[in-house]
Amino acid sequence: DTGVSQDPRHKITKRGQNVTFRCDPISEHNRLYWYRQTLGQGPEFLTYFQNEAQLEKSRLLSDRFSAERPKGSFSTLEIQRTEQGDSAMYLCASSPWGVSYEQYFGPGTRLTVT
Amino acid sequence: DAKTTQPNSMESNEEEPVHLPCNHSTISGTDYIHWYRQLPSQGPEYVIHGLTSNVNNRMASLAIAEDRKSSTLILHRATLRDAAVYYCILRDGTTNAGGTSYGKLTFGQGTILTVHP
């Protein structure tokens, strides 16, 4: 399967701990997006990478959040000093170049902060 | 981002057509209309998109009103596997000052489609 993969699929952590998620996009896709989805809501945009450059960040991305995409391949999303409000599904999507191309989503990482 | 309005939920019977409406009265001339769906415990999945003309693909059809202020996603024969949340999204097709459109998706609440056997 050559779709978008995310690791881990589930993460339970205690409040105050740091967590890191990984996303492997479809190999030829140079666009990568992170979204967050809470229960009963649609996904919300967090940040966008074009190759290795982080070109857009949502106001939702507080200074406890950092994302990277070294070498324009896989991406990581780190949350420092987690809070209970960070509990959500974190989704990664990738797409090829172009204004109308669809985004391909991964299965997501479910984060639970206790 | 331009906003869309969808019914909270709809129901259908298996093997019957389903018409999922979406209103987007503030759509701009460069907005593409995208539909995604999300099955339980999965990430969203692209369904179809269009700009002005009606579109068909293997999954569905998209009917766009002449004034582009509304659209309808049509599932020709619903199956149990089509039960999902369907999102209608306007995606900006303009370029920014740097000559690039970032293409983020702004999801609303979507329509929960229930399919009865």
Side-chain angles (χ1 to χ4, degrees), chain A residues 31 33 35 37 56 101 103, chain B residues 36 38 91 101-103:
Chain A
R31 295 183 160 194
Y33 305 81
Y35 295 84
Q37 185 174 27
E56 188 173 4
Y101 280 114
Q103 294 184 15
Chain B
Y36 282 74
Q38 189 170 22
R91 183 174 177 181
S101 172
Y102 298 154

Side-chain angles (χ1 to χ4, degrees), chain B residues 58-111:
Chain B
R58 64 173 179 82
M59 289 181 69
S61 296
L62 176 60
I64 301 173
E66 198 168 329
D67 63 5
R68 298 206 331 125
K69 294 187 176 183
S70 65
S71 61
T72 302
L73 178 70
I74 302 166
L75 306 179
H76 295 286
R77 288 183 65 201
T79 68
L80 296 178
R81 197 189 169 280
D82 291 321
V85 181
Y86 286 79
Y87 296 99
C88 171
I89 300 163
L90 299 183
R91 183 174 177 181
D92 188 2
T94 59
T95 58
N96 63 13
T100 329
S101 172
Y102 298 154
K104 69 184 178 189
L105 298 173
T106 302
F107 291 81
Q109 297 275 57
T111 296

Side-chain angles (χ1 to χ4, degrees), chain A residues 35-107:
Chain A
Y35 295 84
R36 181 174 70 184
Q37 185 174 27
T38 53
L39 207 59
Q41 304 296 315
E44 298 172 291
F45 169 76
L46 290 179
T47 191
Y48 163 70
F49 286 87
Q50 188 168 294
N51 299 311
E52 67 277 6
Q54 187 176 20
L55 297 184
E56 188 173 4
K57 292 194 289 187
S58 162
R59 286 172 293 177
L60 292 174
L61 214 66
S62 75
D63 55 6
R64 296 185 299 105
F65 288 71
S66 63
E68 294 182 341
R69 192 183 182 196
K71 302 178 184 177
S73 56
F74 71 92
S75 176
T76 59
L77 178 68
E78 180 183 17
I79 309 174
Q80 296 182 327
R81 307 180 303 281
T82 53
E83 302 172 356
Q84 286 189 321
D86 296 331
S87 295
M89 175 75 82
Y90 290 84
L91 294 158
C92 175
S94 70
S95 74
W97 188 258
V99 298
S100 65
Y101 280 114
E102 60 265 32
Q103 294 184 15
Y104 296 80
F105 283 81

Side-chain angles (χ1 to χ4, degrees), chain B residues 3-113:
Chain B
K3 188 174 179 178
T4 62
T5 304
Q6 299 177 252
N8 290 332
S9 62
M10 291 186 66
E11 297 186 19
S12 173
N13 294 318
E14 202 174 8
E15 299 191 3
E16 290 184 355
V18 181
H19 291 235
L20 296 165
C22 180
N23 288 318
H24 29 79
S25 58
T26 59
I27 190 171
S28 73
T30 56
D31 285 333
Y32 286 80
I33 302 162
H34 284 244
W35 283 82
Y36 282 74
R37 71 180 185 181
Q38 189 170 22
L39 279 63
S41 303
Q42 295 188 25
E45 173 188 31
Y46 167 81
V47 177
I48 200 167
H49 77 274
L51 184 61
T52 56
S53 303
N54 295 344
V55 184
N56 299 296
N57 67 19
R58 64 173 179 82
M59 289 181 69
S61 296
L62 176 60
I64 301 173
E66 198 168 329
D67 63 5
R68 298 206 331 125
K69 294 187 176 183
S70 65
S71 61
T72 302
L73 178 70
I74 302 166
L75 306 179
H76 295 286
R77 288 183 65 201
T79 68
L80 296 178
R81 197 189 169 280
D82 291 321
V85 181
Y86 286 79
Y87 296 99
C88 171
I89 300 163
L90 299 183
R91 183 174 177 181
D92 188 2
T94 59
T95 58
N96 63 13
T100 329
S101 172
Y102 298 154
K104 69 184 178 189
L105 298 173
T106 302
F107 291 81
Q109 297 275 57
T111 296
I112 300 171
L113 175 65

